[in-house]
């Protein structure tokens, strides 16, 4: 159960875009930007407020890959596993991240909600391979040692 501040913020977002059905996507994008995920309770609330069938709202949110119903960490790390990155050893970068963050393919977010680790098919930065992003900031020519330094640096920001 979400506290009332979530609904208050959602009301502000809805008011910004208006209550038309065509506002669904920008509204849920802003909600996800605010909380780093799309709380299912808020999607249901938005559907009700926009007079949209809840099933339709869910079908829109599940159609687009960028929407997530699971809470994500403060730092969302996306590791490219496209051809150029894979050939340039992105797998060893990913393995180091799994080890450093104590994550796996089954568990993608750290218990302290600091990091979420995802793999993506392509980040569109093939000339910088292997590449990863942290909250959409590109980190080029990554190596396992650079990953360790990056994680240490990010953890230091939180202290």
């Amino acid at each position: 159960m979400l506290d009332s501040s979530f609904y208050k913020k959602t009301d502000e977002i809805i008011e910004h875009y208006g209550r038309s059905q065509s506002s669904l996507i920008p509204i849920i994008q802003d909600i996800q930007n605010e909380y780093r995920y799309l709380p299912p309770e808020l999607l249901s609330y938005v559907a009700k407020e926009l007079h949209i069938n809840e099933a339709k709202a869910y079908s829109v949110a599940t159609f687009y890959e960028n929407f997530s119903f699971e809470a994500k960490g403060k730092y969302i790390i996306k590791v490219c596993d496209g051809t150029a990155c894979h050939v340039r050893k992105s797998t060893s970068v990913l393995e180091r991240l799994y080890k450093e963050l104590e994550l796996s393919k089954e568990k993608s977010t750290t218990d302290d909600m600091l990091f979420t680790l995802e793999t993506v098919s392509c980040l569109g930065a093939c000339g910088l391979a292997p590449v990863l992003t942290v909250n959409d900031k590109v980190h080029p020519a990554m190596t396992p040692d650079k990953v360790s330094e990056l994680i240490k640096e990010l953890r230091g920001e939180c202290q």
Side-chain angles (χ1 to χ4, degrees):
M1 176 112 181
L2 301 174
D3 76 36
S4 63
S5 67
F6 281 76
Y7 294 96
K8 183 178 182 204
K9 181 63 180 176
T10 298
D11 285 336
E12 291 172 12
I13 293 169
I14 291 170
E15 290 308 314
H16 175 76
Y17 289 103
R19 295 182 183 275
S20 71
Q21 293 184 7
S22 63
S23 298
L24 176 64
I25 292 175
I27 289 169
I28 62 179
Q29 282 176 321
D30 277 13
I31 292 169
Q32 179 157 295
N33 286 341
E34 182 73 22
Y35 301 111
R36 296 187 306 274
Y37 80 113
L38 180 57
E41 302 92 330
L42 292 184
L43 182 59
S44 298
Y45 179 75
V46 168
K48 185 182 112 218
E49 292 295 308
L50 300 184
H51 306 290
I52 296 173
N53 179 310
E54 198 171 323
K56 181 178 181 180
Y58 271 88
S59 71
V60 169
T62 57
F63 176 79
Y64 295 102
E65 253 183 57
N66 65 320
F67 291 117
S68 173
F69 292 110
E70 294 181 25
K72 294 190 178 196
K74 177 179 179 180
Y75 299 109
I76 300 170
I77 301 171
K78 295 180 182 180
V79 178
C80 181
D81 196 34
T83 303
C85 288
H86 188 79
V87 167
R88 293 188 181 155
K89 309 219 184 299
S90 64
T91 303
S92 62
V93 168
L94 183 61
E95 287 171 0
R96 178 70 64 94
L97 282 164
Y98 281 140
K99 182 179 177 187
E100 293 261 339
L101 301 175
E102 298 177 4
L103 296 174
S104 66
K105 288 181 181 177
E106 294 77 31
K107 181 184 179 195
S108 61
T109 300
T110 57
D111 293 335
D112 61 5
M113 297 301 292
L114 198 53
F115 297 99
T116 295
L117 179 58
E118 301 174 346
T119 57
V120 294
S121 298
C122 185
L123 288 170
C126 301
L128 305 174
V131 67
L132 63 78
T133 61
V134 178
N135 295 349
D136 298 324
K137 181 182 177 200
V138 176
H139 294 269
M142 292 305 292
T143 65
D145 289 341
K146 285 183 181 180
V147 162
S148 295
E149 291 173 29
L150 177 61
I151 296 302
K152 197 179 296 183
E153 179 184 314
L154 293 171
R155 282 189 170 130
E157 284 181 10
C158 294
Q159 294 176 2

